Amino acid sequence: MRKENKRLVLLIEDVSTLSVLDDEVVNAVEPQDDASLCDLTSVLGMTEQAYLRLRDNQYQRVAGSGLILSFPKDASAASWADENAEIDRFIARYLNAARLPEPQVALIADHRRLGGDVSVSACDDCPAKEACHAAFGSVAFRDTVVGLFPFRPGTAPYLLDHLDESQTGVRPTQRGLLDHVTKPVMRHVDALDQGDRHPLSLPIRRKPPTDWQTLTETYLGGWAAGDQTRLRLLVEAWTRKTKAPDIASDLKALLEPFNLPEFSAKAADGGPVQPVRDAPSGAKAPGVQATGGDTVVSLQPVPAPIDAAVQKRLTDLINRLERWWSGETLETPRDYQEILLSFLKGALPLDDIRSPAVPAQRLLREANRGSIRIEDSATQAVSNRVSFAFERTQDSYDLIVALIHHAIEGRGTWDFPQSERYKRIVARWLRNHQRAMLAALDPVGLSTTVPIKHATKFLCMSAIIERRAELPRDTSAALSHVTSTEAMKLPTVLTDPLRKLYNDLPERQRTLQSFLVEETNLPQGATGGILVIDPQVIIEAITEARSDPSIAPLPPDYSASYWKSRYQAFEGLKAWAGLPGAIATEREAIGELVHTIDHVLARNGFATGGNYAGFVDFIADMARLIELLKLSFRWPSTDTDFFKRDKISDRSAPMARVLANAAAVAEGTNDTDVLLFDPQALVEVAAVVERCRLLIEAANAHAEAKLAHMIGEGDPDALESEIVAELARVTGVAQEVVA
């Protein structure tokens, strides 16, 4: 691009949604003195929270070389969320654009750039327009009418107002309206068309519908529980009626579109839903100002005076804090603890960080006010839980003052006089103390990488045992084996101590893999699940395991205090402390089996040890012996068929290698050799040798019996020769007489 004299333009709508990549993106677009690169223009959008997380040096470089355009959460934005009709119009515009073809959307966009509003409606050619608008309502943009299906007037404002901000990433903003209300409802309607009748789940604060019991008993006879659940949400958000007959009448027209059964009792027909209309030309609602064309904007409201009760509460909190700041004990600290805890839960960017790990982040999400430890408080937190320390410093004092005004004067918002000054105080405190607050979630004085490496080394050993092979030299292949969740086939062992450990291996593998994945998970947004892990520490541990596969128990400090549950997976490794002893016992058993085989070979005059060429000779002689027994003595086939059936002669060389390997393992000192060795092959060799030994002993017994018979009654072969000779002689004499 530099050679073509072109400029690269990079536009990112919201860099903060890139989770752990946000810092890298900001760093990547910083100006560089590299003449080989083309010119770069970058526009990075980010939330205010992400902006406040920028380090001072990043902020200075951005401010010094570029332009920062801020869209604060001002009164006009707040008024949007407070104006039901405006929210309905917003929803209508969105639904209309989603249903129109692209050329008509472009026409509307051009019209709006000229100061107009929606000029084309997707409902115009719809055959169900009249019935749909009567049941769900519509929004009139002068002469253009847009249907609200699947919403009704007031439904979207209600759901937006009841979004549960305690859930991660849920906020009552335009994006929140689209992501957490509009899109889920539209997906639910599409699913209903496909026959999916599961209830709609929204991140809202639910409240019991009015007169629900009467409605259930009268109109929902025979309804399935799932259908009742879906109707319950409609009663909450799709109607403002409060009596069961009125609710049934108002929602009767919605039953078929939402794939719900008919009411079990007769309900009156409800009237058509009145459309949402623009204010008459020239008319101004309270607090708004016409700006020309069809556009209406909100005026900045004059702050309402603080009522006496709020002022009293504010003064009390500030006065108690002032006395604490002057050296006295902080009275009733729970008031301040709750404010600080709420602030930490909302301000610390848990969804966008690598460390602390996800299990540690749960400690903050599950924390209560007892976790806030304010210096010199009348009561202190219980020590056996995560704690966040606030010392008596200027920073702590300024932060608490700012948060008191936010909680009391602003009623949980920054919409109050001098709020900008307090926001800057909070932002500065976050830049200076965020790292310490996050560090409090991890074990005090303990490395969080040590358990990860312990778990990885155990999983490396597990992979070695299962595969009976060293880890692949290729790191990605080794990582694949370590994290594989395929069912494990337990290997053969000779001794009970090692067998007991191997029987425990699948469960240890499962729990430690879960631990490993959670500790290295890189969350991709609030509900992204486990999609990406950071393998750096795992790869380091794999490298270490290649040279030292030993498994040491975690230090006991990891089983203490509030982080004990985080490392619960390692409790099952206590039995594995006996692995060296179990390996030694297994090595002895391998040696004993080799010794038994050697004894048979040596007894029959064959060499042992080395490459076990004597074993190959032994098998060759056994083949000749079996042929002789079958030919001369008609030996039973049940004793000899195994030799041909199992191709013992063809397998003699591999069996000799198994024996040589087993002998080396038995005489060695490397524990890994025992883990890599498969005793099943040795057991098979021992079984062959044992059958050969039994056959040799049977043949010897037969030969000895025959020899004893010959000693007592003479050699049958010699007697036969004498008889033949005598017959020959007799025959000769007879021939002479005749002559």
Side-chain angles (χ1 to χ4, degrees), residues 27 109 142 210 257 295 428 453 492 510 527 592 620 631 635 641 644 716 720 723-724 727 732:
N27 292 333
R142 293 191 178 273
T210 58
T295 306
R428 183 172 63 246
K453 289 189 174 183
T492 302
R510 184 190 64 80
T527 59
E592 290 174 1
L631 181 64
W635 204 268
D641 280 357
K644 182 178 181 180
E720 183 179 355
I723 293 171
V724 171
L727 288 172

Side-chain angles (χ1 to χ4, degrees), residues 587-588 590-592 594 661-668:
R587 190 192 304 276
E588 291 176 5
I590 294 171
E592 290 174 1
V594 171
N661 187 21
V665 170
E667 296 169 3

Side-chain angles (χ1 to χ4, degrees), residues 588-602 608 612 659 662-663 666 682 689:
E588 291 176 5
I590 294 171
E592 290 174 1
L593 205 52
V594 171
H595 176 73
T596 300
I597 296 172
D598 285 352
H599 179 71
V600 174
L601 295 177
T608 62
Y612 274 88
L659 263 176
L682 180 61
V689 171

Side-chain angles (χ1 to χ4, degrees), residues 59 68 197 199 226 376 426 477 528 560 651:
Y59 174 80
I68 299 176
R197 297 163 65 94
D376 198 14
V426 172
R651 295 166 54 203

